[in-house]
Amino acid sequence: MVTVHLRLPTSVPEARECLSEGAVPIGGATLLWATWQRDGFPQQAMSLRELPEANVLERGRVGAAVVLHRMDGRMPDALRLAASQVGTGAVRRSATVGGNVVGSTLRCLLPAALVLDARATVLEADGVRETDLAELIAKRPLLLSLGWRDPIASAFFKGAGEAGGAPPLVVASALHDDDGTAVLRVALRDGHEFLAASVPRAADTARTLGALRDSALADAPPAAWDVIRSQAESLPT
Ligand SMILES: Cc1cc2nc3c(=O)[nH]c(=O)nc-3n(C[C@H](O)[C@H](O)[C@H](O)COP(=O)(O)OP(=O)(O)OC[C@H]3O[C@@H](n4cnc5c(N)ncnc54)[C@H](O)[C@@H]3O)c2cc1C
């Protein structure tokens, strides 16, 4: 019989202790269960579901232990819509923000987090710190929460996917007020690759799109440009 000691820290110092003792982070186990069955079970796992810092759900912040189906109108549209289109209802009732952004390969929430320019609050052996999304994805530390400054408006698109096929195109956009300048931030998932760029929002959409074509999005597939254009046109002027 398999026994995994599930630890439920209720404070950050307790979570740090679990981490230092090798407990594996677990969200809703929608991915982990199959991994453990294939590769073997760890001695101990740590769920953040009793940790207040990982359960915050408010304007400008969402905790890593929040399950996707709880992400409501307090979230910017891009993030709420991204969460509402992950997998099936059963997956969304179990899967967590931390499991999706840090632990999955699909990461439908990531383009939305990228356009919000979200910062990650993480816990490591030497304590809590803030980092950016690139480092979060590269190093995969324990995520406590994501925080951002709310945009003026945001949008999200996910293409139709085929079972077992390539991940569908995902495009997110957000319009920000950057010290009086309107800035459009666009991010997308193309296959398993993520691209993001920000440009000043010009009065005319063609100029904004021109600037985006000269950015890190230059290699985005043609289908993405139709979506980017429509999102750029739909966001308020
Ligand atoms: C049927 C099905 C359909 C799916 N469709 C989509 C889809 O359309 N789009 C999409 O993006 N995803 C999709 N997924 C994947 C889904 O995103 C993941 O299953 C889910 O987000 C994982 O969340 P979880 O809380 O269950 O993570 P778990 O399975 O518990 O953990 C997964 C990994 O994340 C790590 N982890 C968990 N929490 C944290 C944390 N706080 N900090 C650091 N690491 C952590 C774990 O250690 C583990 O390595 C689908 C999955 C299924 C089963």
Side-chain angles (χ1 to χ4, degrees), residues 23-36 46-48 54 63-68 82-83 85-88 90-92 94-111 121-122 136 140-145 158 167-168 170 189 194:
V24 177
I26 181 170
T30 58
L31 290 178
L32 261 187
W33 188 248
T35 309
W36 287 352
M46 160 178 38
S47 163
L48 302 181
V66 169
V67 294
L68 303 185
Q85 292 175 54
V86 168
T88 60
V91 169
R92 294 192 293 276
S94 301
T96 61
V97 170
N100 186 272
V101 176
V102 188
S104 85
T105 51
L106 288 175
R107 299 189 166 117
C108 275
L109 263 51
L110 182 59
T121 302
V122 301
L136 178 72
R140 301 180 53 164
L142 180 71
L143 178 68
L144 294 181
S145 64
K158 182 175 178 181
V170 165
R189 180 184 72 199
F194 292 87

Side-chain angles (χ1 to χ4, degrees), residues 117-139:
D117 211 6
R119 302 274 300 164
T121 302
V122 301
L123 178 64
E124 291 176 319
D126 48 359
V128 175
R129 70 181 182 95
E130 258 206 15
T131 187
D132 58 28
L133 294 171
E135 192 186 346
L136 178 72
I137 301 313
K139 298 193 179 160

Side-chain angles (χ1 to χ4, degrees), residues 199 202 204-215 218 225 228-229:
V199 296
D204 123 47
T205 307
R207 273 183 51 207
T208 309
L209 290 173
L212 284 169
R213 283 187 187 276
D214 286 336
S215 73
W225 288 106
I228 295 170
R229 173 187 303 280

Side-chain angles (χ1 to χ4, degrees), residues 20-80:
S20 70
E21 290 168 11
V24 177
I26 181 170
T30 58
L31 290 178
L32 261 187
W33 188 248
T35 309
W36 287 352
Q37 283 184 313
R38 189 189 63 217
D39 300 341
F41 288 77
Q43 283 190 328
Q44 41 175 329
M46 160 178 38
S47 163
L48 302 181
R49 69 174 184 242
E50 305 287 337
L51 183 70
E53 287 82 349
N55 284 282
V56 59
L57 180 61
E58 61 190 29
R59 285 176 65 110
R61 186 160 296 276
V62 65
V66 169
V67 294
L68 303 185
H69 93 122
R70 290 191 60 218
M71 295 175 75
D72 56 18
R74 287 168 284 186
M75 303 287 101
D77 285 349
L79 203 50
R80 178 180 58 78

